[in-house]
Amino acid sequence: MSSSESLLKLLFTRPGDFRTLIQFKFFHEFKRDLSAIHEHPTSGWDRRSMRRCWEFLDMTSRSFSAVIKELDGDLARVICIFYLVLRGLDTIEDDMTIPDPVKQPVLRSFHKHTVTPGWTFDGSGPGEKDRQLLVEYDVVVEELNRLPPQYRDVIVEICEKMENGMADFAHKAATTGEIYLEKIEDWDLYCHYVAGLVGEGLSRLLSASGKEQPWLGDQLELSNSMGLFLQKTNIIRDYREDTEQRRYFWPKEIWTREEYSVNGHGAFKEMEEMYVPENEKQALWVLSGLVVDVLRHAPDCLDYLRLLKNQSVFNFCAIPQVMAIATLNLVFMNPQTFQRNIKIRKAEAAGLIMKSTNPRDIAYLFRDYARRIHVKCDPKDPSFLKVAISCGHIEMWCELNYPSFVSVPSQPGQGPVIDPNDRRSAVIALDEKRDKELLEIQRLAKATDGKVKDIVRSGVKTTTKETHWDLIAFMVFAMVAVLGLGLGISWLVINKLSPDS
Amino acid sequence: MASGSKDVYLVIGGSGFLGRHIVNALLARGDSVSVFDIVQRYHDVPCYTGDITEQDSISEALNKSGTTCIIHTASPPHGLDDDVLYWKVNVEGTSAVIAAAIANKVQKLVFTSSAGIVFDGSNIIGADERLPAPRKAMDAYNESKAKAEEVVLAANGKSGLLTVALRPAGIYGPGDRQVMQGLYEVYNRGQTHFQIGDNTNLFDWSYVENVAYAHLLAADKLVHLGPERDPLEPLSLSAEEADMLDRYLPPIRLSTGNHRIPTSEARPPGPVLRQSPESSRVTQNFYDHSFQHQPRPIVRTKFDALSETALSRAKTSPLQVAGQVFFITNCEPVYFWDFTRYVWNELDKIVDPEGKEQRLEKRRIVFPQSLGYVFASLAEFWGWLRGKPHMFTRFRVAYSCGVRWHNIEKARRVLGYEPQVGVEEGIKRMISVCHKLHLPRL
């Protein structure tokens, strides 16, 4: 079916989706034209090798291509190259047709190959979908070598760290026959190598570009959380596809938990058991356990997004995260996850892209998905309360960072609007009162130059009303004293100094 | 504590639910502790029985025990229909405690207040300690607690006495007679499938041992009287205070799993073939809990209680303990009905392990809050007619549909409080004890 036909069909089956897609197509289509002549200095479109790299980006990335191309200035090209280098490395790691003794040296020296002019690799299996990238890898090498050292060095360094981590895991699986990741710590580490390091690299490239804070590249934990959140979500979603290709990424510590056992089945022993229809419930409990583990990265992701300044960088970072939480919602409590590869609907994705413009909206999107996840949770699920707590963390993040009682001004130049019905507005009212009080104290201190200052400092009276009373009392006292003195003197003069006496 | 000498504690209300847990916590760390209560339930520590409104009996207990720190937890339970009693015990009783403390030169008073005093029936969303109590309190209990807290804070600094008030929210745990009782009744009646409201309201719970722990921390840190802030001077923080504010506070991970995020500067070895000096350094970092590559940036909004703007407004620094209030919770708020369902499910595992009753399989019946009010009014009217109070009240509807969670950042930063037992583990402990007490079978 052509795309226009499927769109037409959507008009009748899901009119809401139709509307979103039309809006997306006409009002939100990506705009940057990398082939335009004025873009050539940053996009490199005038070079054959870079044109080929842009083509490879479209061929190899399902979701990243669009957001990468929208990045400002030369960041788009830098991150395109970074992506292709890692894609090349990943293609070798993933390839089950390459025997370990061949794979190990190629992986472990990939950081050298990737800067060696003319290097290509044609040892991938015939079924490998990104095989062609490695066959023509010399174009990537050429473009990587053209990058200024502050970018190139980061890419090569991350590549070296990743290749060794991948090689360690591949070697273990090939030589010991232990095909599963054992502990949560192991799956965290594996995801760190294949995705967390991508996050680290991106943060450093963003800092190097000057478009983001120079310290962003040093925020390793936050950067890794961004990667882990995406990677773990993909690993959960791709269960069926990976399992059929005998690639196993779910940590044994979670899926072999005895507490997930239903009707005395006992803990799972093999990953394949989970797609047997009779085991559906137990498999869903495992899935919940994994979702809880993924959700623990969500607050960090929101923290990271909040630190970004550049709009194109924000979109690039935020869109995949929102897709991930939408995907988590899709797979959660969904038996189809074990039967086929499921994906969020095109219109849902388009709608999310349109909404992903600022950290506040992203946070509340996260919250909405958290609630959608939560509402599906079954009290019999051993992870029941853990899911609620995880969702609670997202809700808390929203309210503590972007409190809902303050709404963004509808027109620029206006101040934020406070909801008077929210209890927190009482704090704002007290603050305003106190601010006035402080201003008054300062004004008085200046006007009386010290007198009131001492009274204020003594800490007994800080309200202006009482201070005035003090002044008045002082003045009355002074007046009485002066008057008394005058009267006394007069009396003396009259009585003692009169000529009669 | 003066020159590191240990305090001698008197727990007022030490026979009660929270009081007893505080006594246990003090005993566990080898402290000297006595109890003052209207009844004696335990015999492992000296107990002075007496009426809290009689200053002389408290004085006698203080004098005999040589108390240097009072932890005052006594209060009638919430939900009684006796306004006079609340006022007598909570306000007059607390005033008597303070008078006795001053007369006996006691140095410290830690008072158990309640998060409920800021509740007025509307949503409490991430409230911090700046939120004033409502003009009209929710009920006589909360009104008396609010007044008592005021009295306690006003006594701070008087004749050498230092005071602090803690406001726990939704205390539960082994020995609890309120939360569990109510949930058990609903369970017994087979009404667990009813839900009022849409259950998107987060609700705070505090496991009793965490609350006890917070009391001990507050007592330990109640050491000196901070100066009043000079409103004419710009805000300046001591190094210690700055440090307190800059520390990154992660979400509480007691229930959802605490795992350090691996980075290229701190990661476990994994299936590494050859450890290089570089990789063993990185491995060491991973297991070294104090290791931090770069501090995490702390971003605050101007609405934040500990923002610079807020700190410069404060009359006394909120970064001290004396004269301050602190919300205390588990910092793991959950949607209201989830807590209850989890409890019922755990009960089911004990009471009905075969699942014969199928309580939790029943189709969930959800009615909106407005309808809940109508039903509750009818039920209250029916109860009034029969002359027997009905369990299903408008207060309970408001209670179960409202958002109620608090921001405990101040307690975490200033007291160094971190919950020790997660919400889930806490429920398990509560249920296991209930089970041992042989709740009536159906």
Side-chain angles (χ1 to χ4, degrees):
Chain A
M1 202 165 19
S2 77
S3 73
S4 55
E5 263 177 71
S6 64
L7 203 60
L8 203 63
K9 193 183 147 208
L10 214 54
L11 175 60
F12 297 102
T13 50
R14 286 179 180 272
D17 281 13
F18 175 80
R19 181 167 163 265
T20 311
L21 283 176
I22 291 294
Q23 281 176 353
F24 186 66
K25 204 124 193 102
F26 288 100
F27 304 110
H28 208 276
E29 196 68 296
F30 296 105
K31 291 166 212 84
R32 190 170 181 196
D33 178 11
L34 297 167
S35 62
I37 290 179
H38 70 275
E39 296 278 19
H40 286 189
T42 51
S43 74
W45 193 266
D46 48 340
R47 292 189 297 277
R48 192 202 65 85
S49 52
M50 193 58 219
R51 275 201 302 280
R52 189 65 182 142
C53 284
W54 287 119
E55 280 169 28
F56 274 127
L57 181 68
D58 284 335
M59 282 158 61
T60 54
S61 102
R62 278 163 265 173
S63 42
F64 286 111
S65 157
V67 278
I68 290 177
K69 287 195 253 175
E70 285 297 303
L71 281 164
D72 283 350
D74 59 359
L75 253 186
R77 183 168 46 97
V78 172
I79 290 179
C80 170
I81 303 297
F82 185 39
Y83 182 85
L84 292 178
V85 170
L86 301 184
R87 172 57 63 194
L89 178 63
D90 188 51
T91 303
I92 295 173
E93 185 228 5
D94 265 4
D95 195 333
M96 303 306 244
T97 66
I98 307 174
D100 190 57
V102 180
K103 201 187 255 188
Q104 287 293 318
V106 185
L107 279 181
R108 288 188 198 271
S109 38
F110 198 81
H111 69 288
K112 288 182 195 144
H113 298 321
T114 203
V115 290
T116 308
W119 188 82
T120 57
F121 181 77
D122 60 1
S124 304
E128 209 52 48
K129 62 178 171 30
D130 297 331
R131 180 176 202 285
Q132 196 58 29
L133 172 66
L134 287 166
V135 171
E136 296 175 50
Y137 196 76
D138 51 337
V139 295
V140 180
V141 175
E142 190 183 332
E143 286 299 327
L144 176 61
N145 282 331
R146 273 178 197 275
L147 291 181
Q150 80 262 28
Y151 294 132
R152 204 186 89 135
D153 295 350
V154 171
I155 295 176
V156 174
E157 194 189 309
I158 293 293
C159 177
E160 184 177 1
K161 285 178 176 159
M162 190 181 292
E163 73 198 18
N164 283 315
M166 284 174 164
D168 288 347
F169 275 98
H171 186 70
K172 179 188 161 233
T175 52
T176 63
E178 284 169 37
I179 46 176
Y180 296 126
L181 294 173
E182 287 293 322
K183 297 280 172 201
I184 291 176
E185 189 178 286
D186 297 317
W187 105 299
D188 277 355
L189 182 64
Y190 177 77
C191 292
H192 155 71
Y193 282 132
V194 300
L197 282 172
V198 184
E200 285 188 22
L202 286 172
S203 297
R204 288 170 62 184
L205 293 174
L206 294 173
S207 288
S209 76
K211 292 193 169 60
E212 293 297 340
Q213 305 277 12
W215 44 258
L216 190 68
D218 288 323
Q219 287 300 318
L220 302 186
E221 243 174 60
L222 286 176
S223 306
N224 273 279
S225 295
M226 291 284 279
L228 263 59
F229 189 68
L230 301 186
Q231 186 67 20
K232 288 182 173 180
T233 303
N234 289 347
I235 285 176
I236 295 177
R237 184 199 56 199
D238 295 341
Y239 162 82
R240 189 59 190 253
E241 192 186 330
D242 285 338
T243 306
E244 275 173 1
Q245 296 182 24
R246 300 188 52 74
R247 286 192 307 229
Y248 307 100
F249 300 113
W250 290 19
K252 238 180 141 179
E253 182 181 341
I254 293 180
W255 60 264
T256 58
R257 279 180 185 152
E258 198 66 48
E259 57 174 334
Y260 298 155
S261 165
V262 173
N263 297 331
H265 174 278
F268 285 129
K269 290 187 185 64
E270 303 295 338
M271 285 278 288
E272 281 81 1
E273 290 174 63
M274 280 180 256
Y275 61 68
V276 179
E278 297 86 81
N279 295 339
E280 185 182 296
K281 194 131 244 186
Q282 189 168 343
L284 286 175
W285 294 167
V286 170
L287 185 57
S288 301
L290 289 167
V291 169
V292 167
D293 188 79
V294 184
L295 284 177
R296 88 183 141 88
H297 303 298
D300 270 8
C301 296
L302 296 175
D303 275 342
Y304 184 92
L305 293 175
R306 201 187 172 186
L307 298 174
L308 300 175
K309 299 188 302 179
N310 178 289
Q311 185 68 52
S312 77
V313 170
F314 181 83
N315 295 356
F316 165 71
C317 294
I319 290 171
Q321 301 292 327
V322 178
M323 297 297 164
I325 191 127
T327 304
L328 279 182
N329 170 50
L330 177 72
V331 297
F332 183 71
M333 287 303 279
N334 186 348
Q336 287 302 311
T337 311
F338 298 96
Q339 304 307 329
R340 60 190 179 87
N341 224 354
I342 50 178
K343 268 188 173 174
I344 46 177
R345 297 195 320 277
K346 246 197 185 132
E348 187 175 1
L352 290 176
I353 290 171
M354 289 193 281
K355 284 182 206 150
S356 303
T357 53
N358 62 69
R360 182 194 171 104
D361 289 354
I362 296 286
Y364 281 90
L365 271 177
F366 264 59
R367 190 200 67 169
D368 292 345
Y369 276 110
R371 287 185 176 177
R372 285 166 71 174
I373 287 171
H374 160 249
V375 85
K376 288 189 278 184
C377 204
D378 182 335
K380 288 276 177 212
D381 186 337
S383 307
F384 177 67
L385 205 60
K386 296 187 176 80
V387 172
I389 291 168
S390 310
C391 295
H393 286 327
I394 294 175
E395 297 242 9
M396 287 163 81
W397 195 97
C398 291
E399 289 290 356
L400 294 178
N401 288 278
Y402 297 99
S404 61
F405 76 108
V406 184
S407 49
V408 193
S410 49
Q411 273 160 17
Q414 285 177 338
V417 183
I418 308 286
D419 174 9
N421 295 320
D422 191 291
R423 287 277 278 133
R424 285 169 289 183
S425 63
V427 176
I428 306 284
L430 282 180
D431 282 352
E432 280 168 3
K433 198 174 141 215
R434 176 73 179 151
D435 285 347
K436 270 189 204 142
E437 216 171 81
L438 286 172
L439 268 179
E440 186 66 8
I441 290 172
Q442 270 156 11
R443 195 186 62 76
L444 270 173
K446 228 183 228 156
T448 57
D449 193 35
K451 265 217 174 63
V452 177
K453 214 167 178 175
D454 290 335
I455 298 168
V456 171
R457 281 240 167 83
S458 73
V460 187
K461 295 178 181 73
T462 44
T463 63
T464 52
K465 215 174 163 189
E466 284 163 313
T467 322
H468 280 317
W469 279 118
D470 268 60
L471 275 179
I472 291 166
F474 175 74
M475 277 154 71
V476 167
F477 174 78
M479 262 165 68
V480 168
V482 169
L483 213 70
L485 202 68
L487 282 174
I489 290 169
S490 311
W491 181 82
L492 268 178
V493 169
I494 293 165
N495 283 303
K496 306 280 174 191
L497 302 178
S498 67
D500 322 340
S501 65
Chain B
M1 264 171 280
S3 66
S5 64
K6 277 185 139 191
D7 271 312
V8 177
Y9 297 88
L10 180 74
V11 180
I12 301 181
S15 298
F17 170 44
L18 173 62
R20 180 59 199 173
H21 280 280
I22 291 174
V23 171
N24 282 341
L26 287 168
L27 287 178
R29 64 177 201 184
D31 276 308
S32 159
V33 52
S34 314
V35 161
F36 182 92
D37 206 311
I38 200 155
V39 287
Q40 178 168 17
R41 289 211 185 91
Y42 305 89
H43 299 271
D44 49 355
V45 289
C47 182
Y48 302 89
T49 52
D51 186 337
I52 190 178
T53 55
E54 287 164 14
Q55 191 187 325
D56 294 344
S57 352
I58 306 170
S59 252
E60 197 192 320
L62 290 174
N63 190 11
K64 278 193 187 156
S65 59
T67 296
T68 60
C69 175
I70 301 174
I71 299 182
H72 171 23
T73 71
S75 167
H78 183 247
L80 303 181
D81 191 20
D82 192 343
D83 299 6
V84 179
L85 178 75
Y86 282 135
W87 194 263
K88 220 170 151 44
V89 175
N90 287 343
V91 184
E92 291 171 20
T94 301
S95 302
V97 169
I98 291 168
I102 290 175
N104 286 277
K105 301 203 163 35
V106 172
Q107 291 136 23
K108 304 176 175 184
L109 169 63
V110 180
F111 174 67
T112 315
S113 180
S114 164
I117 68 169
V118 296
F119 184 51
D120 68 349
S122 62
N123 290 340
I124 297 289
I125 305 171
D128 59 68
E129 290 81 356
R130 292 170 306 170
L131 184 69
R135 279 214 187 86
K136 197 178 171 315
M138 195 63 201
D139 48 36
Y141 171 84
N142 283 310
E143 192 182 358
S144 65
K145 285 301 268 190
K147 185 67 197 167
E149 186 190 276
E150 213 179 292
V151 171
V152 167
L153 297 181
N156 182 45
K158 294 245 171 83
S159 319
L161 179 69
L162 299 177
T163 66
V164 58
L166 304 185
R167 294 175 178 168
I171 311 181
Y172 74 99
D176 152 75
R177 294 180 167 272
Q178 293 188 60
V179 174
M180 197 54 213
Q181 194 71 27
L183 292 177
Y184 192 72
E185 275 172 37
V186 176
Y187 178 85
N188 249 348
R189 294 207 201 117
Q191 293 172 339
T192 56
H193 57 301
F194 288 113
Q195 174 185 314
I196 314 164
D198 61 3
N199 196 24
T200 56
N201 50 322
L202 278 193
F203 211 88
D204 252 336
W205 299 97
S206 309
Y207 179 66
V208 64
E209 287 179 55
N210 293 333
V211 180
Y213 171 64
H215 279 75
L216 268 54
L217 284 175
D220 292 348
K221 303 226 161 166
L222 191 55
V223 280
H224 56 77
L225 198 58
E228 200 130 326
R229 223 186 79 68
D230 184 342
L232 296 172
E233 293 294 324
L235 178 73
S236 78
L237 298 172
S238 68
E240 193 193 350
E241 286 174 322
D243 198 46
M244 206 184 258
L245 286 173
D246 290 343
R247 208 159 42 89
Y248 167 65
L249 295 179
I252 302 301
R253 306 203 185 282
L254 287 168
S255 302
T256 51
N258 194 9
H259 305 277
R260 183 170 195 158
I261 309 286
T263 69
S264 55
E265 283 299 315
R267 57 173 155 70
V272 69
L273 289 179
R274 291 172 299 269
Q275 276 275 29
S276 64
E278 164 65 9
S279 67
S280 27
R281 178 184 68 85
V282 168
T283 301
Q284 241 169 32
N285 287 344
F286 185 76
Y287 295 109
D288 170 9
H289 290 285
S290 62
F291 173 79
Q292 196 180 25
H293 177 58
Q294 280 294 318
R296 286 183 50 154
I298 308 282
V299 188
R300 293 186 186 280
T301 71
K302 61 174 185 169
F303 306 107
D304 195 305
L306 300 178
S307 68
E308 242 171 69
T309 345
L311 290 178
S312 45
R313 274 189 194 114
K315 287 185 180 141
T316 53
S317 168
L319 301 178
Q320 60 181 335
V321 178
Q324 296 289 313
V325 291
F326 295 91
F327 282 118
I328 301 292
T329 74
N330 249 47
C331 205
E332 291 175 322
V334 289
Y335 303 102
F336 181 83
W337 295 99
D338 285 23
F339 184 89
T340 66
R341 290 201 180 106
Y342 187 81
V343 170
W344 292 326
N345 192 41
E346 289 297 303
L347 268 178
D348 234 19
K349 285 185 191 166
I350 296 164
V351 179
D352 183 23
E354 318 279 274
K356 281 193 207 104
E357 301 281 332
Q358 304 234 316
R359 277 186 203 81
L360 299 169
E361 308 290 327
K362 276 192 203 163
R363 225 185 114 86
R364 197 173 290 170
I365 297 173
V366 180
F367 41 99
Q369 187 173 2
S370 49
L371 203 60
Y373 276 123
V374 175
F375 288 152
S377 308
L378 291 174
E380 279 178 70
F381 178 69
W382 178 239
W384 174 78
L385 270 185
R386 289 198 310 163
K388 254 171 86 179
H390 203 282
M391 229 187 81
F392 187 55
T393 60
R394 277 168 298 174
F395 175 79
R396 288 206 174 198
V397 173
Y399 190 82
S400 58
C401 293
V403 181
R404 267 180 93 182
W405 64 273
H406 311 79
N407 180 355
I408 64 158
E409 185 180 354
K410 188 175 160 190
R412 290 179 78 185
R413 291 198 186 277
V414 180
L415 296 179
Y417 166 73
E418 293 290 310
Q420 306 290 300
V421 178
V423 162
E424 189 175 23
E425 171 65 20
I427 297 177
K428 289 201 164 112
R429 291 191 192 178
M430 171 171 74
I431 302 270
S432 74
V433 171
C434 282
H435 176 52
K436 278 184 210 134
L437 294 177
H438 299 292
L439 283 170
R441 286 271 166 158
L442 299 175

